[in-house]
Amino acid sequence: MKYGIIGAGYFGREFARILNAMPGATLTSVYSPSDASDLIRESGGTQAPSIDALVNAVDAVIIASPNHAHRDPAVAAARAGKHVFCEKPVALTYDDCDVMIGAAEEAGTLFLAGHVLHFMPGLQRAGDLVRAGAIGEPIVGRTARTGWEDGSAAPTWKKTRALSGGHLFHHIHELDILQAFLGPATTVTMTGGGAPQAGPRIGDEDAILLATATFARDRYATMEWGSVFRRPEHSIIVQGSEGHLTVDLQDVGVTLQRANGVERFPLHSAAEVDQERTRDNRAVTHGSGVTYGDPTVRPPRWLREAMRAELAYFDGVASGARAVDPRLSALTDGSAARASIATAEAMMLALRLQRTVSVSEITGGGAQATA
């Protein structure tokens, strides 16, 4: 498989390293509107003069560019008959996401969304347990991805809402996993905004976002994001009729509690990797929930492991060497990513209009989005 990478930042550089170590994969071409020389110098490949030149030179495309710039290369790759791996969030609007997935469906090519949490062993096991009824019937979920930023760092594209989508879109992992556990949200509300009493923020994204969601079968959830939380929290919790499950990404590990006892198991490949991530979390004041990758620094071991697993899965399915994992089918055809974007866009509409919004208003099956 010949690969092209679009984007030479934090994730693009690590994907290049992974490809170089992956049997049967070759990094052929790189495109970046800025400088890709560091990636090429370390990992090889040639710099393509355009997106079209890149997609015509490869079998599969990895899109790791800023969030707002995913649609055009994904569509170009699909129309050229190439498989697409697209980093999250795959788009900043439901319509863009739908066009991207539709192009892949029409071309018969693979479209895998880079929702990397699905490739952490403990989270895969957590999903298996919930689906098998280990906590009974799921009733209510809660996610939190919060921490503190002092406003001293220079804003990057990741802190500019028009480019990243802000906390909700750039940190869409927790919403995605919650919907994997509970099903797609049907209605949402959200409040939040700035927090001037906490001092200046970095960029223009909202400092606080507090959301609620309802789901079919009388299921509910609350979600939090933000950068003015002195007590950082990063977790996904599902409460059921017979127990509860907590995925803790701050004090890292997974806990299943039922009437017959408590079981704790690693989120990552081994307990020592969880402990390493926990130590890293404690070494900073802001908390893991508001961490952003620095292109000059290599990702930590826990993230490299998950990235290797997701790219190996993509390569296997794209090359025909392995079948689609049924647990990952909604991720593999893009439908899980589309559902996450639909819910996130509904939340932003609810924040703007200050009312409950049906997700069908975004997907085209509901009332007009008016106040």
Side-chain angles (χ1 to χ4, degrees):
M1 292 279 291
K2 294 186 294 183
Y3 280 88
I5 294 178
I6 298 174
Y10 184 66
F11 274 80
R13 293 183 192 186
E14 189 58 33
F15 282 132
R17 299 178 188 113
I18 293 169
L19 287 174
N20 276 342
M22 185 183 297
T26 303
L27 175 58
T28 302
S29 187
V30 180
Y31 174 79
S32 174
S34 56
D35 186 10
S37 58
D38 285 346
L39 185 158
I40 292 170
R41 184 165 46 249
E42 178 183 359
S43 301
T46 59
Q47 183 150 350
S50 66
I51 291 172
D52 286 341
L54 179 139
V55 300
N56 288 322
V58 301
D59 302 308
V61 176
I62 296 172
I63 301 174
S65 53
N67 304 342
H68 73 290
H70 291 172
R71 170 180 164 157
D72 289 350
V75 172
R79 288 176 177 169
K82 310 306 167 71
H83 302 294
V84 173
F85 173 93
C86 184
E87 256 307 319
K88 63 78 203 165
V90 297
L92 299 184
T93 68
Y94 173 82
D95 287 345
D96 279 356
C97 187
D98 198 45
V99 167
M100 294 160 69
I101 294 169
E105 290 173 346
E106 184 176 347
T109 56
L110 179 63
F111 183 95
L112 180 67
H115 289 206
V116 71
L117 268 65
H118 289 272
F119 295 91
M120 296 176 181
L123 230 159
Q124 290 183 339
R125 184 178 176 191
D128 291 342
L129 287 166
V130 171
R131 286 186 289 271
I135 62 170
E137 178 67 23
I139 300 171
V140 61
R142 178 179 180 269
T143 72
R145 186 170 184 148
T146 60
W148 178 266
E149 292 176 328
D150 63 11
S152 63
T156 69
W157 69 264
K158 294 177 183 179
K159 306 297 292 180
T160 303
R161 193 174 354 186
L163 304 182
S164 71
H167 279 301
L168 176 55
F169 283 84
H170 195 68
H171 294 145
I172 204 165
H173 292 296
E174 292 72 32
L175 171 57
D176 166 59
I177 293 298
L178 197 65
Q179 293 197 139
F181 287 161
L182 300 181
T186 55
T187 64
V188 297
T189 65
M190 191 159 73
T191 190
Q197 65 271 40
R201 299 294 91 201
I202 302 170
D204 68 351
E205 66 182 358
D206 292 306
I208 302 170
L209 293 173
L210 307 173
T212 65
T214 63
F215 303 79
R217 298 167 62 185
D218 297 312
R219 297 174 177 183
Y220 307 89
T222 64
M223 289 155 274
E224 302 175 13
W225 295 266
S227 55
V228 293
F229 293 71
R230 283 293 190 180
R231 180 186 179 276
E233 189 175 358
H234 194 184
S235 60
I236 303 165
I237 301 169
V238 182
Q239 311 254 12
S241 58
E242 298 178 20
H244 59 86
L245 186 139
T246 298
V247 180
D248 197 329
L249 300 101
Q250 184 74 20
D251 183 11
V252 183
V254 184
T255 303
L256 171 67
Q257 183 160 348
R258 295 179 284 188
N260 61 352
V262 179
E263 178 186 2
R264 185 173 170 90
F265 52 90
L267 174 61
H268 301 298
S269 61
E272 66 179 69
V273 183
D274 282 16
Q275 293 162 7
E276 183 179 288
R277 184 177 180 185
T278 298
R279 287 194 299 269
D280 290 346
N281 290 341
R282 291 173 179 169
V284 296
T285 58
H286 51 65
S288 64
V290 294
T291 299
Y292 294 85
D294 179 348
T296 65
V297 178
R298 192 169 187 189
R301 175 163 62 153
W302 62 265
L303 182 52
R304 296 198 305 268
E305 287 182 351
M307 292 172 71
R308 284 196 296 268
E310 70 177 346
L311 205 53
Y313 174 75
F314 175 75
D315 183 77
V317 175
S319 66
R322 66 180 295 176
V324 173
D325 185 332
R327 299 174 301 175
L328 301 173
S329 59
L331 191 70
T332 310
D333 65 10
S335 59
R338 180 164 51 193
S340 295
I341 297 299
T343 302
E345 191 171 352
M347 287 176 176
M348 295 305 293
L349 182 62
L351 177 65
R352 179 167 63 86
L353 299 181
Q354 285 298 287
R355 68 165 172 84
T356 299
V357 169
S358 169
V359 178
S360 64
E361 295 179 50
I362 302 300
T363 60
Q368 292 297 310
T370 56

